[in-house]
């Protein structure tokens, strides 16, 4: 909805809960006529009438002919003590499509109008309930799919982005000093100017990284793969099930049980990973089996982290040594499985240097916690660290990046130092703006374009 179409005199309504059918549907009404409207369709069971008061009441929803729509709970808020700052009502009814449609028909005929995206929040902003910057952050809260991202959003107030931007500003202060000096020493200016390049390139690089972090967050990064590989019968599927916490992949004493690739989501230190079980590596003549094995190897090449499962009662085979040689550069660890067996022997020197090893029994569960701890440590190190800017800050960073790239191009073209010094000042100013005040104009497109209807 466009801002110019907003009429703040009207009372608005929207379904604030998720897709129907659902256990409960929450219909929100906000505006000066909210109580008047509610009084015509909600009848508390205690026989009282709806009054303009902060309350919650159980009662019956009826259409204008007096026909029952549903039994429901009504929550009422008196402005300014409500989310939007206006008089507001919430009907919590059964999440049925027919109930919600009927209720909304009645609301329409009583003069309320359907809310647009973000309209409740915008009214809250106008009533001083939220700031523009809080609306910007709220948009990210809705986008967050991973716990780790949520933590980054909530820790934005800790000033880490401000600190990072201040560091980048320091770099530009250095380049400014270099360029200003070049202005004074016009004969050797090209040598002086070349000294400005490294700090500028460094700043460009770091600035791009922060922008990239936000775009990955918004776009939803590809979920990294944690691939379990090894020989047939080593216990890969048993480990897969143990890490997943449920019996998902078939486990059997017969080698060659897993023929296809099985993937499931797991969460490790707040990040989603795809846990992948593969067919055991072996020579095979059978076409279907061969395809399964090849597929497993393809997954291994695309893995962000992999686990080699070794049957600890048999030790490393040439095929496993080959896997370590081939994929050992990729982050991995070796699970020395079947610790419960008599024949099990401690992993020896034959395992590749530098590989982390976890001894365990996927069958009894012994050692699984130790593996979790190892994995958490290893995978957390791989999480993109650093502050997450808001959408507005990210847009401003893009502006600053543009100015810095322009400066670099002019620097490489040996433009006059006076001109370069001026461009550097502009780049500094645009970097300064990144952590500046966020105004409502900065976030309106986002609120009206991205927020859910009902928010
Ligand atoms: N004693 C013991 N047996 C295990 C252990 N882990 C797995 N097994 C057994 O080893 C056999 C093979 O286990 P799976 O998990 O199916 O092995 P896999 O590596 O997935 O085998 P494929 O899918 O055939 O490649 C089953 O009989 C399991 O019960 C363990 O820690 N101890
Ligand atoms: Mg298997």
């Amino acid at each position: 909805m466009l801002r110019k179409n907003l009429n703040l005199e009207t009372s608005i309504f929207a379904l604030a809960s998720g897709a129907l059918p659902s256990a409960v549907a929450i219909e929100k009404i906000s505006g000066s006529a909210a109580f008047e409207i509610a009084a015509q369709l909600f009848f508390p069971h205690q026989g009282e009438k709806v009054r303009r008061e902060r309350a919650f009441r159980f009662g019956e929803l009826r259409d204008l002919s007096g026909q029952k729509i549903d039994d429901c709970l009504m929550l009422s808020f008196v402005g300014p003590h409500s989310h939007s700052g206006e008089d507001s009502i919430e009907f919590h009814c059964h999440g049925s499509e027919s109930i919600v449609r009927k209720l909304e028909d009645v609301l329409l005929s009583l003069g309320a109008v359907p809310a647009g995206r973000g309209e409740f929040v915008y009214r809250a902003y106008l009533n001083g309930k939220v700031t523009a910057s809080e609306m910007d952050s709220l948009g990210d809260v809705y986008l967050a799919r991973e716990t780790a991202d949520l933590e980054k959003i909530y820790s934005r107030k800790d000033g880490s982005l401000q600190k990072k931007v201040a560091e980048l500003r320091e770099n530009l202060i250095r380049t400014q000093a270099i360029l200003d000096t070049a202005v004074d020493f016009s004969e050797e200016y090209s040598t002086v100017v070349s000294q400005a390049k490294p700090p500028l390139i460094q700043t460009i690089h770091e600035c791009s990284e922060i922008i990239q972090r936000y775009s990955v967050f918004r776009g939803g990064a590809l979920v990294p793969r944690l691939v379990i590989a090894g020989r047939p019968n080593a216990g890969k599927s048993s480990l897969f099930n143990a890490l997943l916490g449920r019996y998902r992949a078939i486990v059997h004493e017969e080698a060659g049980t897993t023929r296809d690739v099985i993937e499931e989501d797991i969460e490790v230190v707040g990040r989603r990973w795809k846990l992948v079980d593969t067919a055991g590596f072996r020579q095979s003549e059978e076409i279907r089996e061969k395809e399964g094995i090849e597929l497993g190897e393809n997954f291994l090449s695309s893995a962000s982290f992999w686990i080699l499962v070794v049957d600890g009662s048999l030790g490393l085979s040439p095929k496993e040594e080959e896997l370590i040689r081939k994929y050992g550069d990729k982050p991995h660890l070796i699970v020395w499985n079947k610790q419960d067996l008599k024949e099990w022997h401690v992993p020896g020197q034959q395992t590749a240097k530098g590989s982390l090893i976890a001894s365990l029994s996927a069958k009894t569960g012994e050692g699984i916690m130790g593996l979790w701890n190892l994995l958490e440590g290893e995978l957390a190190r791989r999480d993109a660290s650093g502050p997450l800017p808001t959408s507005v800050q990210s847009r401003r960073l893009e502006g600053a990046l543009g100015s810095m790239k322009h400066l670099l191009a002019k620097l490489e073209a040996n433009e006059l130092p006076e001109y370069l010094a001026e461009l550097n000042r502009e780049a500094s100013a645009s970097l300064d703006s990144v952590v500046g005040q966020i105004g409502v104009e900065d976030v309106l497109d986002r609120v009206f374009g991205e927020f859910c209807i009902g928010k």
Side-chain angles (χ1 to χ4, degrees):
M1 171 175 296
L2 289 174
R3 196 181 165 203
K4 61 175 167 13
N5 293 339
L6 289 177
N7 178 358
L8 300 169
E9 300 305 312
T10 58
S11 291
I12 50 173
F13 69 87
L15 182 66
S17 46
L20 300 171
S22 58
V24 175
I26 302 174
E27 190 73 27
K28 278 198 333 194
I29 308 163
S30 177
S32 52
F35 281 93
E36 214 175 290
I37 291 169
Q40 296 183 66
L41 80 162
F42 181 77
F43 300 88
H45 283 320
Q46 279 92 350
E48 305 154 22
K49 286 212 158 176
V50 170
R51 285 198 305 266
R52 186 169 180 263
E53 62 180 354
R54 183 187 179 90
F56 69 94
R57 300 197 178 286
F58 192 52
E60 196 169 286
L61 276 176
R62 296 183 200 149
D63 67 15
L64 298 181
S65 67
Q67 182 114 39
K68 174 174 173 175
I69 301 175
D70 194 14
D71 287 311
C72 89
L73 188 67
M74 183 188 87
L75 271 61
S76 54
F77 307 86
V78 177
H81 305 294
S82 70
H83 165 247
S84 64
E86 301 175 324
D87 282 355
S88 307
I89 303 280
E90 283 180 13
F91 289 124
H92 292 222
C93 44
H94 294 100
S96 134
E97 283 188 45
S98 56
I99 289 174
V100 171
R101 196 177 321 120
K102 251 190 129 176
L103 169 58
E104 293 192 339
D105 282 348
V106 180
L107 291 172
L108 264 178
S109 46
L110 289 173
V113 296
R117 285 181 186 277
E119 205 176 340
F120 288 95
V121 175
Y122 183 59
R123 289 183 177 210
Y125 165 75
L126 292 177
N127 288 313
K129 291 282 167 176
V130 281
T131 64
S133 147
E134 282 165 347
M135 286 198 279
D136 197 20
S137 255
L138 188 60
D140 289 338
V141 168
Y142 279 100
L143 288 179
R145 276 162 295 250
E146 319 227 349
T147 331
D149 286 331
L150 202 56
E151 280 168 18
K152 280 187 184 168
I153 293 168
Y154 290 152
S155 64
R156 272 174 181 159
K157 289 203 176 90
D158 70 3
S160 45
L161 183 76
Q162 282 72 2
K163 233 171 98 189
K164 187 77 228 169
V165 170
E167 266 173 51
L168 301 181
R169 274 279 284 124
E170 281 297 313
N171 289 350
L172 292 193
I173 290 171
R174 270 168 58 207
T175 55
Q176 191 70 52
I178 294 166
L179 295 172
D180 287 343
T181 313
V183 173
D184 299 336
F185 297 94
S186 48
E187 310 85 68
E188 333 146 38
Y189 100 89
S190 64
T191 27
V192 181
V193 162
S194 66
Q195 294 167 11
K197 255 173 91 173
L200 181 60
I201 291 173
Q202 167 77 6
T203 317
I204 288 177
H205 175 72
E206 291 193 35
C207 193
S208 317
E209 245 181 23
I210 309 173
I211 297 169
Q212 171 73 4
R213 198 174 302 138
Y214 188 72
S215 75
V216 164
F217 160 76
R218 277 194 75 108
L222 281 180
V223 182
R225 288 204 180 101
L226 171 51
V227 176
I228 303 178
R231 274 197 301 168
N233 235 19
K236 300 181 295 301
S237 299
S238 306
L239 181 69
F240 178 82
N241 293 338
L243 289 176
L244 208 57
R246 64 193 160 92
Y247 191 81
R248 166 70 182 83
I250 299 168
V251 168
H252 201 273
E253 59 191 13
E254 194 187 325
T257 302
T258 309
R259 291 197 160 205
D260 212 335
V261 169
I262 306 173
E263 287 184 279
E264 287 291 335
D265 283 355
I266 55 165
E267 193 176 283
V268 191
V269 234
R271 282 270 167 230
R272 199 154 37 112
W273 285 76
K274 280 244 177 275
L275 185 64
V276 184
D277 185 20
T278 59
F281 285 100
R282 61 195 174 278
Q283 297 300 336
S284 171
E285 292 314 315
E286 208 222 307
I287 303 264
R288 260 182 309 170
E289 201 166 88
K290 230 171 149 170
E291 278 186 17
I293 296 165
E294 274 170 21
L295 198 62
E297 182 136 5
N298 287 343
F299 270 76
L300 193 46
S301 357
S302 69
S304 298
F305 196 97
W306 66 288
I307 297 177
L308 173 66
V309 182
V310 177
D311 184 333
S313 66
L314 301 173
L316 271 189
S317 72
K319 181 71 204 172
E320 286 159 332
E321 284 169 349
E322 189 189 317
L323 277 184
I324 297 172
R325 267 198 306 280
K326 205 161 159 191
Y327 298 101
D329 287 343
K330 226 183 235 282
H332 68 284
L333 63 80
I334 298 176
V335 161
W336 210 257
N337 192 30
K338 308 201 182 181
Q339 193 175 358
D340 57 299
L341 291 180
K342 262 203 325 290
E343 303 82 2
W344 188 86
H345 50 83
V346 181
Q349 287 307 311
Q350 68 225 98
T351 46
K353 268 210 196 94
S355 296
L356 281 170
I357 301 173
S359 300
L360 56 87
S361 165
K363 191 172 182 177
T364 65
E366 189 191 349
I368 289 284
M369 276 319 289
L371 172 66
W372 263 120
N373 292 339
L374 262 182
L375 268 179
E376 284 185 349
E378 285 302 295
L379 302 189
R381 282 202 293 128
R382 275 154 241 289
D383 186 17
S385 56
L388 183 70
T390 70
S391 73
V392 175
Q393 288 166 336
S394 165
R395 226 168 37 231
R396 291 177 180 174
L397 276 163
E398 275 169 24
L401 182 66
S403 318
M404 288 188 285
K405 283 185 170 168
H406 182 60
L407 167 61
L408 182 63
K410 296 297 170 194
L411 215 148
E412 283 174 339
N414 287 322
E415 294 276 353
L416 288 175
E418 289 85 351
Y419 177 48
L420 298 176
E422 185 50 36
L423 289 182
N424 194 86
R425 261 187 291 278
E426 281 170 20
S428 297
S430 62
L431 203 50
D432 273 342
S433 76
V434 170
V435 288
Q437 194 79 20
I438 292 179
V440 72
E441 297 299 330
D442 294 316
V443 296
L444 281 184
D445 284 351
R446 174 159 215 211
V447 171
F448 294 135
E450 270 181 28
F451 276 37
C452 311
I453 293 175
K455 181 65 220 164

